[in-house]
Structures are given as C-alpha cells and as structure tokens.
Amino acid sequence: MTTTTTLRRVDRSPRRIAFSQTLGRWDIKFSPYLYVSPFFLLFAVVGLFPLLYTGWVSLHAWDLIGGQGDFVGLDNFTFVLSQATFWKALGNTFSIFLLSAVPQIAVAIVIAAVLDQNLRGKTFWRMGVLIPYIIMPVAVALIFSNLYGDRYGLVNTLLGHIGVPAIQWHSNPLASQLAIATMVNFRWTGYNALILLAGMQAISRDYYEAAEIDGAGPVRRFFSITVPQLRPTLIFVIITATIGGLQIFDEPKLFDQTGTGGANGQWLTLTLYLYNLGWTQLNFGRASAVAWLLFIVIVIIGLVNLAITRLIASNEGVRK
C-alpha cells in the first residue's frame, strides 16, 4: 500500500512541475501584452474607431438631419479639393503654425536653460511657467481678442502712445494670424519649456564641468553641449508642436464674435473650415473629407520628421 502511494506521488509530481513551468512561460510571454493592453483598448475606442468611422462618413452624402445618404465614393474629396476656401484654409493653417511654433520652441529652449540654473525658489519658477497652460483656452482667447481690438484694444492704445498707427488686427491677414499665434505661444511655451527642462536635467554635469575647465563660456556650453544632447527631446517637442499646431481651433474660433475665420477668411484654418462645413452647412460628408485630408497632411509631415530624425541619428553615428 505504501509503495503504491509513493508511486502515485512520483507520477503526479513531474506533471505539476511541468504545468507550473508552462504557466511561467505564458506569464513571461503574455503578461507584457496584458499590461499595455489598456492603452490599446482605449485608443481603439476613442482614436481608431472615430477615425475609421469618419472615413466611412466621408464616402457618403451625409447630413445632420437626414443622416446617412447615398454612397458617393470620393466625390466629397473632389469637391473639397476643388474649393479655393480649402486651399486658403490650408495656407492659413501653415502660416499660423510657423508663426507660433518657431518662436515658441526658441523661447521655450531659453526659458528651460534659465530654469536649469541654480535659482532661488526654482520650484516656484518652474510651476509658474505652467500657469498659462492650465488656463482655459476660452479665457485666453477672450482676453487676447480684447487686447488686439482694432479700435479700443490695449495693444493699439500702447502703440498710439509711441506714435505707431493702429494695426487692423481683424482685417489684415498677417496681423490677425500673428495675434492668434501669440495666443498659442502664451499657452504652450511654458509647457514645452518644462519638457525641454526635463531633457536638460538628464544631461550629465560632467560635460559642463569639463567644458568650464577648458575655458568655454555659458553660451559656448549651451550650443556645444546642451543643444546637441537635447536633440531627441527637441525632436519630440517639434513633432508634438506640429501636430497640435495643425489642429488649432479654439484660438481662431474665438478671435472674433462670429467665429467664422474672418470676413474674408483671413485666419480661417482647416479645423475651422471643417467645423463650418459640418455644423453650419450640416454636411458631415464633406466635413469628414476635410478631417481625413488634415489627417493625411499630419501623417506626411510626421513621416518627414521621422526621416529627418533618422538622418540626424545616422549622421551622429558616422561622426562617432
């Protein structure tokens, strides 16, 4: 009897060990996917599905009241691309993006470099630059739209005191786009500065000490050490600023009381043009076509940024 029980235990023990090993292999193999699955599930619900559904809507004659209509194929895309308003909105979008992104990133680098120094109350100053970011976009747009008033705005009043003629902020295309770019810079410069600051703090201080011993000044250390070492973070900031800049909506929408992008479309952007097609003309099919065209533009620019990033990385590898 004892011998039989012992044999049964010997027979079961290897099976249990084998099953435990199998569970361990499954855990190592599948647990990483399980940990990252919430992101992909959330992205599928709030990102991928709306994108695909918008593509489906763009292929139909779809309006707010009647809902889905006949299948029209690429007719909505053909109509949108044939409109001069679309190309004007595309040009305005790129113009506002360049007027905002270029000075925004340049000033953010300078602010990050100052905050990286040994300042008194550094936490206070670092939190202070983030205050404009947490202000509601509606509040920022309303304040700046009054500052840039054509007749009674504070900016024109100050310019009048120094003898400069009043600027027509709402009728001049360049002036209106510059005013909107100022709103964007006000909100996002501090945010980008903190991201760049995090990248600067990851740079080894040994480089700066060695450069200081060799006699390099602060400016030389900044351009010879900080900027090259900050390149990956800087590329990330440029890509995110590009995506956000091409999707700008709140600032041009609230720049005047009508919210249509100006009497002659002086600051009409693609997102504002999309809004006008969808919620003013009630044509969701054409609005969805504009949304997909904007998506394609962002993807193309993202691929260009990726190519430039790889080129920079390959050049660095050759130099090393």
Side-chain angles (χ1 to χ4, degrees):
M1 185 69 178
T2 305
T3 305
T4 305
T5 304
T6 303
L7 291 174
R8 288 179 180 177
R9 290 178 180 176
V10 171
D11 292 340
R12 291 177 181 177
S13 180
R15 294 179 182 177
R16 292 178 180 177
I17 295 175
F19 182 69
S20 299
Q21 292 177 347
T22 303
L23 288 179
R25 289 196 298 268
W26 287 354
D27 179 61
I28 295 174
K29 185 176 181 180
F30 296 108
S31 60
Y33 299 99
L34 182 63
Y35 296 147
V36 300
S37 61
F39 165 78
F40 291 100
L41 292 175
L42 185 63
F43 172 75
V45 173
V46 303
L48 184 60
F49 172 74
L51 180 65
L52 297 178
Y53 188 71
T54 302
W56 173 258
V57 174
S58 67
L59 300 177
H60 293 78
W62 203 301
D63 62 80
L64 181 61
I65 299 176
Q68 180 178 347
D70 297 332
F71 179 82
V72 296
L74 299 178
D75 288 350
N76 288 326
F77 292 90
T78 303
F79 174 84
V80 169
L81 292 174
S82 64
Q83 298 298 304
T85 307
F86 169 79
W87 297 104
K88 188 173 186 178
L90 180 63
N92 291 341
T93 301
F94 276 103
S95 178
I96 296 174
F97 160 68
L98 293 175
L99 289 173
S100 60
V102 175
Q104 175 188 142
I105 295 175
V107 175
I109 294 176
V110 176
I111 294 176
V114 173
L115 295 177
D116 194 36
Q117 304 302 315
N118 190 17
L119 300 174
R120 290 185 178 181
K122 60 177 65 177
T123 304
F124 170 79
W125 295 111
R126 291 173 182 176
M127 294 301 296
V129 300
L130 196 62
I131 292 177
Y133 172 73
I134 64 177
I135 298 176
M136 292 296 293
V138 175
V140 174
L142 291 176
I143 293 171
F144 274 83
S145 62
N146 289 323
L147 288 176
Y148 289 107
D150 294 335
R151 298 182 60 185
Y152 304 108
L154 179 60
V155 176
N156 276 344
T157 301
L158 295 177
L159 291 177
H161 288 319
I162 60 176
V164 178
I167 299 175
Q168 300 301 314
W169 296 105
H170 290 78
S171 59
N172 185 282
L174 180 60
S176 60
Q177 294 172 15
L178 182 62
I180 294 174
T182 306
M183 303 183 202
V184 178
N185 292 338
F186 174 78
R187 288 197 64 233
W188 291 97
T189 300
Y191 173 83
N192 289 327
L194 289 184
I195 296 178
L196 294 171
L197 175 62
M200 289 181 182
Q201 291 183 333
I203 301 174
S204 176
R205 300 298 162 178
D206 296 337
Y207 297 137
Y208 295 100
E209 294 176 0
E212 188 174 1
I213 293 174
D214 292 339
V219 177
R220 179 63 182 275
R221 292 197 299 269
F222 177 77
F223 285 102
S224 299
I225 299 177
T226 304
V227 174
Q229 295 293 325
L230 197 64
R231 190 169 295 164
T233 307
L234 192 60
I235 291 173
F236 170 78
V237 170
I238 292 174
I239 292 176
T240 55
T242 301
I243 296 174
L246 294 177
Q247 294 179 344
I248 182 174
F249 176 77
D250 295 332
E251 289 81 0
K253 176 65 177 177
L254 298 172
F255 188 57
D256 65 352
Q257 296 179 353
T258 61
T260 57
N264 297 318
Q266 301 94 320
W267 62 88
L268 179 68
T269 61
L270 280 179
T271 53
L272 195 55
Y273 178 56
L274 182 156
Y275 178 87
N276 293 337
L277 284 175
W279 296 102
T280 302
Q281 302 181 18
L282 306 181
N283 195 320
F284 281 7
R286 294 173 182 174
S288 299
V290 175
W292 258 88
L293 290 172
L294 177 60
F295 170 73
I296 293 173
V297 170
I298 293 175
V299 169
I300 293 174
I301 295 178
L303 293 176
V304 172
N305 287 331
L306 180 61
I308 295 174
T309 303
R310 290 182 175 179
L311 180 62
I312 293 174
S314 62
N315 290 338
E316 286 184 351
V318 172
R319 291 177 182 176
K320 291 179 181 180

